[in-house]
Coordinates of all heavy atoms in Angstrom, one line a residue:
S1 N 28.1 79.8 41.4 CA 28.2 78.5 41.9 C 28.2 78.6 43.4 O 28.8 79.5 44.0 CB 29.5 77.8 41.4 OG 30.6 78.4 41.9
S2 N 27.7 77.6 44.1 CA 27.7 77.6 45.6 C 27.3 76.2 46.1 O 26.6 75.5 45.4 CB 26.6 78.6 46.1 OG 26.6 78.6 47.5
H3 N 27.8 75.9 47.3 CA 27.4 74.6 47.9 C 26.3 74.9 49.0 O 25.7 74.0 49.6 CB 28.6 74.0 48.6 CG 29.6 73.4 47.7 ND1 30.9 73.8 47.6 CD2 29.4 72.4 46.8 CE1 31.5 73.1 46.7 NE2 30.7 72.3 46.1
I4 N 25.9 76.2 49.1 CA 24.9 76.6 50.1 C 23.6 76.6 49.3 O 23.1 77.7 48.9 CB 25.2 77.9 50.8 CG1 26.6 77.9 51.3 CG2 24.2 78.2 51.9 CD1 27.1 79.2 51.8
L5 N 22.9 75.5 49.2 CA 21.8 75.4 48.3 C 20.6 76.1 48.8 O 19.7 76.5 48.0 CB 21.5 73.9 48.0 CG 22.7 73.1 47.4 CD1 22.2 71.7 47.0 CD2 23.3 73.8 46.2
T6 N 20.4 76.2 50.1 CA 19.2 76.8 50.6 C 19.2 78.3 50.2 O 18.2 78.9 49.9 CB 19.1 76.7 52.1 OG1 20.4 77.1 52.7 CG2 18.9 75.3 52.5
E7 N 20.4 78.9 50.2 CA 20.5 80.3 49.8 C 20.3 80.5 48.3 O 19.7 81.5 47.9 CB 21.9 80.9 50.2 CG 22.0 80.9 51.7 CD 23.2 81.8 52.2 OE1 24.0 82.2 51.3 OE2 23.3 82.1 53.4
L8 N 20.8 79.6 47.5 CA 20.5 79.7 46.1 C 19.0 79.6 45.8 O 18.5 80.3 44.9 CB 21.2 78.5 45.3 CG 22.7 78.6 45.2 CD1 23.2 77.4 44.3 CD2 23.2 79.9 44.6
S9 N 18.3 78.8 46.5 CA 16.9 78.7 46.3 C 16.2 80.0 46.5 O 15.2 80.3 45.9 CB 16.3 77.7 47.3 OG 16.8 76.4 47.1
E10 N 16.7 80.9 47.4 CA 16.1 82.1 47.8 C 16.3 83.2 46.7 O 15.5 84.2 46.6 CB 16.6 82.6 49.1 CG 16.2 81.7 50.3 CD 16.7 82.2 51.6 OE1 17.2 83.4 51.6 OE2 16.6 81.5 52.6
I11 N 17.4 83.1 45.9 CA 17.7 84.2 45.0 C 17.7 83.8 43.6 O 17.7 84.7 42.7 CB 19.1 84.8 45.4 CG1 20.2 83.8 45.2 CG2 19.1 85.4 46.8 CD1 21.6 84.4 45.3
C12 N 17.7 82.5 43.2 CA 17.9 82.1 41.8 C 16.6 82.0 41.1 O 15.6 81.6 41.6 CB 18.7 80.8 41.8 SG 20.4 81.0 42.2
D13 N 16.7 82.4 39.8 CA 15.6 82.2 38.9 C 15.6 80.8 38.2 O 14.6 80.3 37.8 CB 15.6 83.3 37.8 CG 15.6 84.7 38.3 OD1 14.5 85.1 38.8 OD2 16.6 85.4 38.3
G14 N 16.8 80.2 38.2 CA 17.0 78.9 37.6 C 18.2 78.2 38.2 O 19.0 78.9 38.9
A15 N 18.4 77.0 37.8 CA 19.6 76.2 38.4 C 20.1 75.2 37.3 O 19.3 74.8 36.5 CB 19.2 75.5 39.7
L16 N 21.4 74.9 37.4 CA 22.0 73.9 36.6 C 22.7 72.9 37.5 O 23.5 73.3 38.4 CB 23.0 74.6 35.7 CG 22.6 75.9 35.0 CD1 23.7 76.8 34.7 CD2 21.9 75.5 33.7
F17 N 22.6 71.6 37.2 CA 23.2 70.6 38.0 C 24.2 69.8 37.2 O 23.9 69.3 36.1 CB 22.1 69.6 38.5 CG 21.2 70.2 39.5 CD1 20.1 70.9 39.1 CD2 21.4 70.2 40.9 CE1 19.2 71.5 40.0 CE2 20.5 70.7 41.8 CZ 19.4 71.4 41.3
I18 N 25.4 69.8 37.6 CA 26.5 69.2 36.9 C 27.3 68.2 37.7 O 27.4 68.4 38.9 CB 27.5 70.3 36.4 CG1 28.6 69.7 35.4 CG2 28.1 71.1 37.5 CD1 29.4 70.8 34.8
E19 N 27.7 67.1 37.1 CA 28.5 66.1 37.8 C 29.4 65.4 36.8 O 28.9 65.1 35.7 CB 27.6 65.1 38.5 CG 28.4 64.1 39.4 CD 27.5 63.2 40.2 OE1 26.5 62.7 39.7 OE2 27.8 63.0 41.4
R20 N 30.7 65.2 37.1 CA 31.7 64.6 36.3 C 31.7 65.2 34.9 O 31.8 64.6 33.9 CB 31.4 63.1 36.2 CG 31.5 62.4 37.5 CD 31.6 60.9 37.3 NE 32.9 60.5 36.7 CZ 33.2 59.2 36.3 NH1 32.3 58.3 36.5 NH2 34.4 59.0 35.8
G21 N 31.5 66.5 34.8 CA 31.6 67.3 33.6 C 30.3 67.3 32.7 O 30.3 67.9 31.7
R22 N 29.3 66.5 33.2 CA 28.1 66.5 32.4 C 26.9 67.2 33.1 O 26.8 67.2 34.3 CB 27.6 65.0 32.2 CG 28.5 64.2 31.2 CD 27.8 62.9 30.9 NE 28.5 62.2 29.8 CZ 28.3 62.4 28.5 NH1 27.4 63.3 28.2 NH2 29.0 61.7 27.6
L23 N 26.2 67.9 32.3 CA 25.0 68.6 32.8 C 23.9 67.6 32.9 O 23.4 67.0 32.0 CB 24.6 69.8 31.8 CG 23.6 70.8 32.3 CD1 24.2 71.6 33.5 CD2 23.2 71.8 31.2
L24 N 23.4 67.5 34.2 CA 22.4 66.5 34.5 C 21.0 67.0 34.4 O 20.1 66.3 34.0 CB 22.6 65.9 35.9 CG 24.0 65.3 36.2 CD1 24.1 64.8 37.6 CD2 24.3 64.2 35.2
K25 N 20.8 68.3 34.8 CA 19.5 68.9 34.9 C 19.6 70.4 34.8 O 20.6 70.9 35.4 CB 18.8 68.4 36.1 CG 17.3 68.6 36.1 CD 16.7 68.0 37.4 CE 15.2 68.0 37.4 NZ 14.6 67.0 36.5
A26 N 18.7 71.0 34.2 CA 18.7 72.5 34.1 C 17.3 73.0 33.9 O 16.4 72.3 33.3 CB 19.6 73.0 33.0
G27 N 17.0 74.2 34.4 CA 15.7 74.8 34.2 C 15.4 75.9 35.1 O 16.2 76.3 36.0
L28 N 14.3 76.5 34.9 CA 13.8 77.6 35.8 C 13.4 77.0 37.1 O 13.0 75.8 37.2 CB 12.6 78.3 35.2 CG 12.9 79.1 33.9 CD1 11.6 79.6 33.3 CD2 13.8 80.3 34.2
M29 N 13.6 77.8 38.2 CA 13.4 77.3 39.6 C 12.0 76.7 39.8 O 11.8 75.6 40.4 CB 13.7 78.4 40.6 CG 13.9 77.9 42.0 SD 15.4 76.8 42.1 CE 16.6 78.1 41.9
D30 N 11.0 77.4 39.3 CA 9.6 76.9 39.5 C 9.4 75.5 38.8 O 8.8 74.6 39.4 CB 8.6 77.9 38.9 CG 8.5 79.1 39.7 OD1 9.0 79.1 40.9 OD2 7.9 80.1 39.2
E31 N 10.0 75.3 37.6 CA 9.9 74.1 36.9 C 10.6 73.0 37.7 O 10.1 71.8 37.8 CB 10.4 74.2 35.5 CG 9.7 75.2 34.6 CD 10.4 75.4 33.3 OE1 11.5 74.9 33.1 OE2 9.8 76.1 32.4
L32 N 11.8 73.3 38.2 CA 12.6 72.3 38.9 C 11.9 71.8 40.2 O 11.9 70.6 40.5 CB 14.0 72.8 39.2 CG 14.9 73.1 38.0 CD1 16.1 73.8 38.5 CD2 15.3 71.8 37.3
L33 N 11.4 72.8 40.9 CA 10.7 72.5 42.2 C 9.4 71.7 41.9 O 9.0 70.8 42.7 CB 10.4 73.7 43.0 CG 11.7 74.5 43.4 CD1 11.3 75.7 44.2 CD2 12.6 73.6 44.3
R34 N 8.7 72.0 40.8 CA 7.5 71.3 40.5 C 7.8 69.9 40.1 O 7.1 69.0 40.6 CB 6.8 72.0 39.3 CG 5.4 71.5 39.1 CD 4.6 72.4 38.2 NE 5.2 72.8 37.0 CZ 5.7 74.0 36.7 NH1 5.5 75.0 37.6 NH2 6.3 74.3 35.6
E35 N 8.8 69.6 39.4 CA 9.3 68.3 39.1 C 9.7 67.6 40.3 O 9.5 66.4 40.5 CB 10.4 68.3 38.1 CG 10.0 68.8 36.7 CD 11.1 68.8 35.7 OE1 12.2 68.4 36.1 OE2 11.0 69.4 34.6
G36 N 10.4 68.3 41.3 CA 10.9 67.7 42.5 C 9.8 67.2 43.4 O 10.0 66.4 44.3
R37 N 8.5 67.8 43.2 CA 7.4 67.3 44.0 C 7.0 65.9 43.8 O 6.2 65.3 44.5 CB 6.2 68.2 43.8 CG 6.3 69.6 44.4 CD 5.2 70.5 44.0 NE 3.9 70.0 44.4 CZ 3.3 70.2 45.6 NH1 3.9 70.9 46.5 NH2 2.2 69.7 45.9
K38 N 7.5 65.3 42.7 CA 7.2 63.9 42.4 C 7.8 62.9 43.4 O 7.4 61.8 43.5 CB 7.7 63.5 41.0 CG 7.0 64.3 39.9 CD 7.5 63.9 38.5 CE 6.8 64.7 37.4 NZ 7.4 64.3 36.1
H39 N 8.8 63.4 44.1 CA 9.5 62.6 45.2 C 9.4 63.5 46.4 O 10.3 64.4 46.6 CB 10.9 62.2 44.8 CG 11.0 61.4 43.6 ND1 11.0 61.9 42.4 CD2 11.1 60.0 43.5 CE1 11.1 60.9 41.5 NE2 11.1 59.8 42.2
R40 N 8.5 63.3 47.3 CA 8.3 64.1 48.5 C 8.8 63.4 49.7 O 8.7 62.2 49.9 CB 6.8 64.4 48.6 CG 6.1 65.1 47.5 CD 6.6 66.6 47.3 NE 6.3 67.4 48.5 CZ 5.1 67.9 48.8 NH1 4.1 67.8 47.9 NH2 4.9 68.6 49.8
T41 N 9.3 64.2 50.6 CA 9.7 63.7 51.9 C 8.8 64.3 53.0 O 8.4 65.4 53.0 CB 11.2 64.2 52.3 OG1 12.1 63.7 51.3 CG2 11.6 63.7 53.6
V42 N 8.3 63.3 53.9 CA 7.4 63.7 55.0 C 8.1 63.5 56.3 O 8.7 62.4 56.5 CB 6.1 62.8 54.9 CG1 5.2 63.3 56.0 CG2 5.5 62.9 53.5
I43 N 8.0 64.5 57.2 CA 8.6 64.4 58.5 C 7.5 63.9 59.4 O 6.4 64.6 59.5 CB 9.1 65.7 59.0 CG1 10.0 66.4 58.0 CG2 9.8 65.5 60.4 CD1 11.2 65.6 57.6
V44 N 7.7 62.8 60.1 CA 6.6 62.2 61.0 C 7.2 62.0 62.4 O 8.2 61.4 62.6 CB 6.2 60.8 60.5 CG1 5.0 60.3 61.4 CG2 5.7 60.9 59.0
R45 N 6.6 62.7 63.4 CA 7.0 62.5 64.8 C 5.9 61.7 65.5 O 4.7 62.1 65.4 CB 7.2 63.9 65.4 CG 8.3 64.7 64.8 CD 8.5 66.0 65.6 NE 9.0 65.7 66.9 CZ 8.9 66.5 68.0 NH1 8.3 67.7 67.8 NH2 9.4 66.2 69.1
T46 N 6.3 60.7 66.2 CA 5.3 59.8 66.8 C 5.5 59.6 68.3 O 6.6 59.9 68.8 CB 5.5 58.4 66.1 OG1 4.6 57.5 66.7 CG2 6.9 57.8 66.2

């Protein structure tokens, strides 16, 4: 368990997300990141 999520991304094969005692999401890292691409953030400097 860790709050340093950037570091978990570098070493973990999978992740589990929990809140208020309930498991919200779980899976292998590649699958989670692929699903996360459905909501993309773009940095725009103008």
Side-chain angles (χ1 to χ4, degrees):
S1 70
S2 178
H3 290 118
I4 309 172
L5 303 189
T6 53
E7 294 194 349
L8 287 184
S9 298
E10 295 179 10
I11 62 170
C12 288
D13 302 288
L16 313 152
F17 295 85
I18 185 174
E19 186 173 43
R20 299 194 69 185
R22 286 191 173 277
L23 194 63
L24 304 178
K25 197 176 188 68
L28 293 172
M29 195 65 69
D30 289 346
E31 296 171 354
L32 292 170
L33 295 179
R34 188 163 54 248
E35 292 176 8
R37 286 173 60 88
K38 294 178 181 178
H39 298 82
R40 301 290 300 278
T41 299
V42 183
I43 311 300
V44 185
R45 296 185 66 202
T46 177

